[in-house]
Amino acid sequence: EDVDLQTGMLSVRHAVQQLVGTGIMIVEPKSDKSKRTVALPRTAIEVLQELKEREGRSSGLVFHTKNGTPIGPRNLTTYFKHDLEQAGLPEIRFHDLRHTAATLMLTAGVHPKVVQERLGHAHISHTLDNYSHVLPTIQGEAAEKMDSVLLLTKKKGMLDNG
């Protein structure tokens, strides 16, 4: 119910959590910054649309058990590791997908503030501290862009005065 395939927006308003003594519960995200709306890439929208059509029913959850209940974190990890193995990929933690997405966005030139908002970090310093290893690879691009700006400015005679 938090995914709008028409607009391509995902509203993060819920989380699935394993609570001791209670079981799998749908809870609110950890913080106010965790509650957010992000635009989905076209590829994700297409995959989610195919999944919805294949399911033919709606439990209100994108991913769920055969009974329509939330998938527990342990089962999600099991499915994920199985899918990695089937695809011939190295084993990683499910949470590493989040780090990969952040790294890919930063190396693609997405502004760190946008990455912060998409990840739901309360402070940009958290995003920059955790992904600063990506920033040196962007330094060369920044120098090239600055060079382009300076050359354009020089051609227009704006640097000749001083």
Side-chain angles (χ1 to χ4, degrees):
E1 61 198 38
D2 293 343
V3 179
D4 186 336
L5 296 175
Q6 298 301 315
T7 63
M9 300 302 282
L10 165 71
S11 296
V12 180
R13 298 183 298 200
H14 301 99
V16 176
Q17 191 173 42
Q18 177 87 40
L19 299 174
V20 178
T22 308
I24 313 262
M25 301 290 295
I26 296 178
V27 298
E28 285 197 18
K30 292 189 278 189
S31 70
D32 285 340
K33 277 289 188 178
S34 295
K35 297 174 189 172
R36 61 202 181 278
T37 300
V38 295
L40 294 169
R42 194 171 324 126
T43 305
I45 295 168
E46 291 169 4
V47 169
L48 290 169
Q49 187 65 45
E50 287 175 24
L51 180 64
K52 184 177 180 180
E53 290 169 6
R54 189 173 58 222
E55 291 283 320
R57 61 183 169 82
S58 177
S59 67
L61 300 169
V62 175
F63 304 104
H64 51 80
T65 65
K66 291 177 184 174
N67 299 334
T69 58
I71 297 173
R74 284 190 198 132
N75 286 339
L76 180 65
T77 298
T78 300
Y79 298 144
F80 179 64
K81 289 186 185 284
H82 176 264
D83 289 346
L84 287 173
E85 186 178 320
Q86 292 297 309
L89 296 170
E91 187 174 314
I92 61 171
R93 298 171 305 146
F94 189 78
H95 191 77
D96 291 336
L97 296 174
R98 182 176 163 86
H99 293 289
T100 300
T103 301
L104 291 173
M105 284 187 282
L106 288 168
T107 56
V110 175
H111 193 284
K113 183 69 177 169
V114 174
V115 176
Q116 171 211 348
E117 291 170 356
R118 291 180 69 87
L119 294 176
H121 291 160
H123 304 284
I124 195 165
S125 59
H126 183 74
T127 307
L128 293 173
D129 288 346
N130 283 315
Y131 299 101
S132 61
H133 64 281
V134 176
L135 300 179
T137 63
I138 301 172
Q139 287 293 335
E141 272 184 48
E144 288 175 21
K145 287 179 181 179
M146 190 64 186
D147 199 33
S148 295
V149 170
L150 292 173
L151 288 173
L152 180 63
T153 306
K154 185 176 182 179
K155 285 181 184 177
K156 290 184 175 183
M158 298 171 74
L159 289 180
D160 294 337
N161 296 335

